[in-house]
Amino acid sequence: MRRPLDLRHVISPGLRDLVELANTDDFDRVTEQVRDLRGCTSPVNLHGWTITTDQTTKQVVRSYRSEDEPSGRLLTTCGNRRASRCPACSRLYAADTYHLIKAGLSGGKNVAETVHDHPRAFVTLTAPSFGPVHNRPTTDTGKPRPCSCGESHAQDAPELGTPLRPASYDYSGAVLWNAHAGALWARFTTYLRRALAEHLGMTQKALNAALRISFAKVAEYQQRGLVHFHAVVRFDGPDGHTTAPPVWATFDALHVAVGLAVERARLIVESDAVGERVIRWGDRFKVDQISALGDGELTDAKVAGYVAKYATKNAEGAGTVDRTLVCRPCAGRGYVRGPDGFHDRCEDCDGTGQAEPLTNLAIQQHARQMIRTAWALGHLPEFAHLKLWKWAHMLGFRGHFSSKSRAYSTTLGALRDVRRAWRTAQAEAARVRAGLPVDDENTTLVTASSWTYLSSGYRPGEELLAAQVRHDRAYSEHLKSEGAPWL
Ligand SMILES: [Zn+2]
Ligand SMILES: [Zn+2]
Ligand SMILES: [Zn+2]
C-alpha cells in the first residue's frame, strides 16, 4: 500500500511551520506583520485589544484585537539600541540619533537653521591612567615605536588596552571612575560655565543672561575598559537656538574654558576599604571646531555620524558581555528569605548572587577583573548607591549612553512621534481607499486598551519570513549609493 508522502522528517521545523502559516486564512497578514518589524531580531509578542469610541454617539470608531490576527498575537519591535542585540532596531536608533545630532548642528526638525553659524565644538574627554597598558605608541614625528613591553602590537592585538602589570593595576580606581563618570560630566558642564565667565572677565550672572550652552554627548568604551565622552557643545543666544550668541562667545573662548574645566572638575570618593579617591579627567582631551563652511575637517554630517555610531555601540569595545550578571531570583544578594523569615542560600546561583559564574564568561582576563572588582565593591555599603552589581557587566558605568541638554535639538521621542503620525496618516489613507469613515476633527474620540506581554521572538515559520525581510533590506541598502551608511 502506498502511503502519502510524509515531509515531517525531511523538512526543517521552520519550513514546516511556514507551510502551516501559509495554510491559515490570511497569510498576507502574516507576512505583513513580519515585514512591519523591519527585520527585528526578537519582537515582543503581545495579547490584548484597543477600542476607540466616539464620545457623543458611543459608536465604536475602530477596534483592534490581537485575537483577530492569524496567529492570535500582536508583534512589535524590540526597540533595542545595541547592535549586538538587534541590528535592525539599532539601525533605526542610529538613524534617529543621527538626525537629532544633525538638527542641533545644521537646523531642521524645529531647530533654527542659523545654529549652523553658532560656535560649535566636538569635545572628547577621557579617563586618567590607572596603570600602564599595552599600546601602540608613536614618536613625535608620528612613527610607530614599540610598546613598553618591548613588542610592537598589531592593530587588532587582543592585549591592547590591558595592563602591563595586572597585579599592580588600580582596578578599584578604574571601576569607581566608570561609576562616577556621569557625575563627573555633570560637574564639568557646571565648571565650564564658570571657567568661561572667568576667562572673559565677567560674572557668572552676566554670562548666563547673555549666553546659553547646550550639549549632546555619547559615551564610548576604550579598549582598557574605561568610558570616555564625545560631546557636541554649542553656543546660543539668551533665548536658545533661535538667537545668535554674543560676539565675545567665540570658539577660542570655548577652547580655553574646556581646558580649565577639565583641570578643575573633580569628585572626592571616601571609603574605609579603598581610601580617598579623587575622580578627575585624564590629561588627554580634545576640542575640535565644527566647521561652519562645510570645507573643514569636521563637518556637521561627519560629527552626527560619529555620535550615531557610538550611540549604538555598547561595552563590546571593552570586550565585556552585553547582559546583566545579577542572579534574578535573589537580586544579587545570594540569599532569599524563606517562609520562616530566615535567609536561605539562593539555589539558582549557589549563593554567589551571579547569574553565571564569572570564571565561565568567555571574555579576557582584564574585563573579567574589572567585573570582579565591581562585584566586590558592590558589597560595600558606601557604594550601594552606585548599584555596582547591576552595572558590573558595564564595568561599573551606569547606563546613560547618550544624553543632551533640552535646548540642544529635537528628542528621540519626538522623532518616534513623527513616525507614528506618519503611520496613522497611512492607515487613514487606507481607510479612505477602503471606503470606511475617516475621523472627523469635531468628534471626541476615547481610546481604551488592555495589553499583556506574552513572550519574545518569532514562530519558526515567521523567523524564515524575517530572514527574507533582512535579506531584502540589506540588498536595497547595498543599492543605496548615497547617504550615511547605516541608514
Ligand atoms: Zn528589534
Ligand atoms: Zn605591550
Ligand atoms: Zn541567586
Side-chain angles (χ1 to χ4, degrees):
M1 192 182 85
R2 273 184 77 168
R3 285 190 302 172
L5 191 60
D6 186 353
L7 288 174
R8 270 178 303 175
H9 304 292
V10 288
I11 65 172
S12 70
L15 214 47
R16 211 185 306 148
D17 187 48
L18 188 61
V19 171
E20 204 171 289
L21 284 169
N23 284 319
T24 55
D25 293 340
D26 200 353
F27 186 57
D28 282 350
R29 177 57 196 154
V30 173
T31 49
E32 187 185 46
Q33 255 203 321
V34 174
R35 206 175 327 116
D36 284 349
L37 297 168
R38 305 160 65 110
C40 174
T41 311
S42 183
V44 179
N45 294 218
L46 298 168
H47 181 264
W49 50 265
T50 297
I51 292 173
T52 306
T53 30
D54 184 330
Q55 189 75 316
T56 357
T57 63
K58 303 289 175 210
Q59 257 186 342
V60 173
V61 183
R62 58 175 163 258
S63 69
Y64 172 83
R65 297 186 315 164
S66 58
E67 275 168 30
D68 299 335
E69 294 287 359
S71 64
R73 69 220 209 284
L74 170 68
L75 297 173
T76 61
T77 52
C78 74
N80 203 303
R81 168 182 66 77
R82 292 176 244 168
S84 65
R85 286 291 184 84
C86 183
C89 291
S90 141
R91 258 200 304 279
L92 195 62
Y93 185 91
D96 281 355
T97 305
Y98 176 86
H99 289 303
L100 182 153
I101 297 298
K102 184 82 169 23
L105 291 170
S106 315
K109 319 258 178 212
N110 296 326
V111 180
E113 277 176 25
T114 43
V115 292
H116 184 64
D117 302 318
H118 297 191
R120 301 157 315 155
F122 193 48
V123 175
T124 300
L125 302 183
T126 61
S129 169
F130 294 97
V133 295
H134 293 281
N135 58 6
R136 287 159 51 85
T138 49
T139 61
D140 290 341
T141 54
K143 276 207 193 113
R145 60 186 171 86
C147 171
S148 322
C149 72
E151 258 183 73
S152 289
H153 302 294
Q155 200 169 356
D156 56 352
E159 62 269 27
L160 286 176
T162 66
L164 283 169
R165 289 178 294 278
S168 62
Y169 189 79
D170 182 10
Y171 277 102
S172 296
V175 167
L176 287 173
W177 195 91
N178 273 350
H180 289 91
L184 187 61
W185 167 264
R187 186 145 299 191
F188 165 77
T189 61
T190 308
Y191 278 57
L192 182 66
R193 290 187 178 88
R194 279 188 208 165
L196 193 62
E198 185 191 307
H199 173 68
L200 295 166
M202 56 199 299
T203 64
Q204 181 87 57
K205 203 171 164 196
L207 181 95
N208 290 345
L211 177 74
R212 285 251 206 122
I213 311 176
S214 64
F215 305 90
K217 79 162 202 307
V218 276
E220 189 198 13
Y221 279 86
Q222 294 173 299
Q223 280 171 317
R224 57 182 175 140
L226 288 153
V227 286
H228 62 183
F229 291 120
H230 301 281
V232 175
V233 183
R234 191 185 70 215
F235 280 169
D236 293 333
D239 294 321
H241 64 88
T242 51
T243 47
V247 285
W248 41 259
T250 60
F251 168 78
D252 289 334
L254 173 64
H255 196 166
V256 174
V258 168
L260 290 170
V262 161
E263 209 178 287
R264 293 172 186 174
R266 49 191 61 201
L267 300 161
I268 310 285
V269 173
E270 281 179 82
S271 153
D272 287 341
V274 300
E276 187 185 274
R277 297 291 175 130
V278 180
I279 310 282
R280 56 171 187 85
W281 298 108
D283 300 331
R284 291 194 180 179
F285 65 94
K286 257 179 95 180
V287 187
D288 291 314
Q289 184 160 23
I290 300 170
S291 146
L293 299 169
D295 58 351
E297 284 282 293
L298 212 50
T299 61
D300 296 1
K302 223 177 196 175
V303 169
Y306 287 146
V307 175
K309 194 183 80 196
Y310 299 138
T312 52
K313 280 208 308 191
N314 216 34
E316 294 109 54
T320 178
V321 292
D322 67 353
R323 55 189 179 273
T324 177
L325 295 167
V326 175
C327 169
R328 232 174 255 275
C330 68
R333 283 187 289 267
Y335 62 82
V336 287
R337 202 177 285 274
D340 50 6
F342 282 90
H343 288 174
D344 289 335
R345 202 164 117 109
C346 173
E347 283 175 9
D348 285 80
C349 63
D350 271 336
T352 62
Q354 295 153 3
E356 39 197 318
L358 302 186
T359 40
N360 289 5
L361 299 175
I363 54 174
Q364 272 212 341
Q365 197 53 34
H366 177 57
R368 194 190 319 279
Q369 196 52 39
M370 289 286 284
I371 293 173
R372 272 202 195 110
T373 307
W375 207 275
L377 293 172
H379 282 284
L380 301 174
E382 60 266 42
F383 297 138
H385 64 288
L386 299 174
K387 298 193 166 47
L388 288 168
W389 293 342
K390 186 176 175 190
W391 302 114
H393 69 296
M394 304 293 279
L395 314 182
F397 180 60
R398 282 183 287 164
H400 295 300
F401 262 82
S402 45
S403 68
K404 62 175 192 61
S405 49
R406 206 169 306 145
Y408 178 75
S409 106
T410 182
T411 62
L412 285 178
L415 290 174
R416 278 184 210 117
D417 285 346
V418 170
R419 206 176 302 129
R420 206 173 298 131
W422 184 76
R423 276 204 207 119
T424 311
Q426 276 202 321
E428 292 298 340
R431 290 169 73 82
V432 172
R433 280 198 300 275
L436 293 165
V438 179
D439 294 348
D440 180 343
E441 275 179 25
N442 298 319
T443 56
T444 311
L445 299 176
V446 180
T447 301
S449 58
S450 160
W451 290 99
T452 47
Y453 170 85
L454 291 175
S455 60
S456 285
Y458 292 102
R459 275 174 62 150
E462 290 168 340
E463 184 65 67
L464 290 181
L465 295 172
Q468 182 63 40
V469 171
R470 281 180 213 123
H471 176 266
D472 292 348
R473 293 184 71 87
Y475 185 65
S476 71
E477 270 161 34
H478 171 73
L479 295 182
K480 228 185 262 177
S481 54
E482 52 190 21
W486 51 83
L487 295 183

